[in-house]
């Protein structure tokens, strides 16, 4: 009996381009898109879970620091500033995870908009060149979200609230031990570092956080969940 492996040549044009046959066959193509959608959705879900995990770390850290900082009069105020540093680290990690997650999310949205939505209600595709876009992205995956915009989105969702709580708690902590407004700045000193420098640095940092949160306010990730007024039929 002849060995079947001798008859198979993976370098032959027929075998090399076997997947290309699906492009001209509707049944094969739609079946392939179904498998591709499940795969991309699984990837997006996995990275969404990673984002949520980082958010949970930041929330737990913030709650723990607030509890510890106000549990006794001898607690140093700068522990809350260390919390700001740690939350910033989590923000950086989550920004990277969000940018990677957006790769798979964008592919899922292309399939949902141009395949499944059109199959349910054939009004035409959203992007006429969606097959070319998806093919190019599969061949050369690329991060599509600029880092500043990714930081802005994560601040809007979670981290601006955490930073505001930490900065607010820090001011309350200083106020508790300051007898006069002038003493408030002096109380902000950290070791040999004057309170003026610490206060200015904290103020500048929070100003940067505010600017990044509100910019770019007009940009929205395509396909992200947004509220809309005409939702009566879904209630």
């Amino acid at each position: 009996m002849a060995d079947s492996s001798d008859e198979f040549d993976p370098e032959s044009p027929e075998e090399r381009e076997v997947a290309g046959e699906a492009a001209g066959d509707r049944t094969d193509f739609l079946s392939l898109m179904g498998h591709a959608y499940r795969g991309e959705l699984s990837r997006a879900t996995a990275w969404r879970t990673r984002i949520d995990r980082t958010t949970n770390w930041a929330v737990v850290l913030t709650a723990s620091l607030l509890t510890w900082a106000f549990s006794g009069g001898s607690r140093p105020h700068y522990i809350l500033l260390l919390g700001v540093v740690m939350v910033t680290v989590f923000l950086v990690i989550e920004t990277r995870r969000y940018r990677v997650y957006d790769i798979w999310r964008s592919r899922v949205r292309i399939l949902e908009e141009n395949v499944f939505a059109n199959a349910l209600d054939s009004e035409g595709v959203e992007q006429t060149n969606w097959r070319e876009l998806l093919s190019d992205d599969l061949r050369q995956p690329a991060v599509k979200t600029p880092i500043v915009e990714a930081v802005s989105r994560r601040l809007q969702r979670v981290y601006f609230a955490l930073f505001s709580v930490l900065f607010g708690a820090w001011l309350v902590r200083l106020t508790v031990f300051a007898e006069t407004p002038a003493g408030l700045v002096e109380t902000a000193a950290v070791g040999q570092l004057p309170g003026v420098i610490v206060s200015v640095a904290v103020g500048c940092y929070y100003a940067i956080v505010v600017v990044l949160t509100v910019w770019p306010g007009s940009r929205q990730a395509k396909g992200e969940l947004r509220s809309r007024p005409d939702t009566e039929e879904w209630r």
Side-chain angles (χ1 to χ4, degrees):
M1 183 176 179
D3 188 356
S4 59
S5 62
D6 295 337
E7 302 175 1
F8 175 72
D9 182 11
E11 298 296 329
S12 65
E14 299 81 15
E15 299 299 336
R16 210 171 47 235
E17 305 294 336
V18 62
E21 298 177 2
D25 188 291
R26 289 178 177 271
T27 302
D28 290 346
F29 178 76
L30 291 177
S31 176
L32 184 63
M33 288 298 96
H35 291 296
Y37 176 75
R38 285 193 293 270
E40 299 300 333
L41 186 61
S42 177
R43 281 175 163 180
T45 302
W47 280 93
R48 177 71 253 186
T49 302
R50 293 186 179 186
I51 293 174
D52 292 340
R53 188 176 298 123
T54 312
T55 301
N56 291 338
W57 293 343
V59 172
V60 170
L61 173 67
T62 301
S64 301
L65 286 178
L66 291 175
T67 302
W68 188 85
F70 289 94
S71 62
S74 60
R75 307 302 189 191
H77 68 86
Y78 56 79
I79 192 66
L80 294 171
L81 299 182
L82 291 177
V84 171
V85 174
M86 290 304 301
V87 170
T88 302
V89 172
F90 289 140
L91 173 60
V92 172
I93 296 173
E94 188 162 318
T95 297
R96 177 187 174 277
R97 291 181 174 183
Y98 179 84
R99 297 180 76 203
V100 176
Y101 155 78
D102 193 63
I103 297 174
W104 322 125
R105 184 201 62 80
S106 62
R107 293 180 183 176
V108 168
R109 290 300 299 144
I110 283 182
L111 292 173
E112 289 177 344
E113 285 182 319
N114 300 286
V115 178
F116 300 109
N118 202 36
L120 294 171
D121 187 7
S122 183
E123 295 183 353
V125 296
E126 293 288 331
Q127 298 160 292
T128 56
N129 62 334
W130 69 271
R131 293 178 65 167
E132 180 183 356
L133 290 174
L134 188 56
S135 175
D136 291 342
D137 195 57
L138 288 171
R139 285 189 170 95
Q140 296 180 334
V143 175
K144 305 170 185 64
T145 307
I147 187 169
V148 175
E149 188 172 347
V151 171
S152 179
R153 291 178 188 172
R154 299 322 301 159
L155 283 169
Q156 292 174 5
R157 295 296 187 274
V158 179
Y159 284 87
F160 179 72
L162 296 181
F163 282 125
S164 297
V165 168
L166 286 172
F167 285 127
W170 179 71
L171 289 175
V172 171
R173 185 66 183 168
L174 292 180
T175 305
V176 170
F177 295 99
E179 298 179 356
T180 64
L184 181 65
V185 176
E186 297 175 358
T187 309
V190 178
Q192 299 299 319
L193 196 62
V196 175
I197 296 179
V198 175
S199 300
V200 171
V202 171
C204 291
Y205 189 86
Y206 189 68
I208 293 174
V209 169
V210 172
V211 170
L212 288 175
T213 302
V214 300
W215 186 93
S218 60
R219 299 185 186 180
Q220 296 181 0
K222 184 178 178 60
E224 279 199 345
L225 297 178
R226 300 282 177 176
S227 61
R228 62 182 184 182
D230 54 335
T231 56
E232 292 294 334
E233 296 181 359
W234 290 92
R235 295 182 180 177

